Amino acid sequence: MNTTLTRPDLTAADRCDRCGAAAQVRAILPSGGELLFCGHHARKHQERLKELEADLQQGQQPA
């Protein structure tokens, strides 16, 4: 049996790990850890996260 674990969508309660603003991106690291970033910090750290082969997931935009 294959079981896939999914992470919940980002909500207004999820905050950037760098500055505390609303999180827009979840970076899942190969080690299994995760970081949450606002748009500004996601762009700032994007190249390094790609080097680390992090899986970047965009949060849902408010309607």
Side-chain angles (χ1 to χ4, degrees):
M1 171 185 357
N2 290 336
T3 303
T4 302
L5 298 177
T6 59
R7 288 177 164 80
D9 290 336
L10 294 174
T11 68
D14 292 312
R15 310 313 284 179
C16 175
D17 289 325
R18 295 293 298 168
C19 68
Q24 296 180 2
V25 175
R26 174 183 282 126
I28 302 170
L29 304 173
S31 64
E34 73 177 34
L35 297 167
L36 301 178
F37 292 109
C38 64
H40 166 79
H41 283 108
R43 287 186 298 277
K44 182 176 179 179
H45 298 292
Q46 182 175 13
E47 290 304 315
R48 181 65 177 136
L49 291 168
K50 285 182 180 179
E51 289 174 13
L52 294 172
E53 298 182 359
D55 178 18
L56 302 179
Q57 300 177 347
Q58 297 290 321
Q60 298 294 325
Q61 298 298 320

